[in-house]
Amino acid sequence: SAAFSPDGQHVVTASLDMTTKLWNVVAGKCLHTLQGHEGKVTSAAFSPDCKKVVTASSDRTAKLWDAASGECLHKLEGHGYSVFSAAFSP
């Protein structure tokens, strides 16, 4: 999964290597590698204000991250199986 930020300045990519990366589109550089999922990251998306990223994983969790620092803000758990998708509402 990959998604552009609403302002078009960044891309977030989800990977089977259990990480998510935040990229600066203009520079083509990785700004943060979001680590902490214990399974494949299946989905990633930016919040409408570009300040947060949500990820979903086969480890049965979703996580909310601070896009500026790469810090995990919340771990959302309780599913019995993989979480395949996560999104923000506008």
Side-chain angles (χ1 to χ4, degrees):
S1 160
F4 274 92
S5 60
D7 65 7
Q9 299 297 306
H10 300 93
V11 169
V12 61
T13 56
S15 177
L16 300 180
D17 69 1
M18 300 186 289
T19 69
T20 300
K21 292 188 181 281
L22 297 176
W23 303 87
N24 177 293
V25 174
V26 175
K29 292 186 179 181
C30 180
L31 301 174
H32 298 292
T33 299
L34 310 180
Q35 297 180 341
H37 279 295
E38 297 175 8
K40 303 173 217 173
V41 182
T42 55
S43 177
F46 278 97
S47 62
D49 64 4
C50 303
K51 292 183 179 182
K52 295 183 178 75
V53 169
V54 64
T55 56
S57 173
S58 64
D59 68 4
R60 302 178 296 177
T61 69
K63 292 189 176 196
L64 186 65
W65 308 82
D66 181 277
S69 69
E71 176 186 357
C72 181
L73 302 172
H74 297 287
K75 180 179 180 180
L76 309 170
E77 46 193 336
H79 284 283
Y81 296 98
S82 297
V83 180
F84 291 106
S85 183
F88 284 92
S89 103

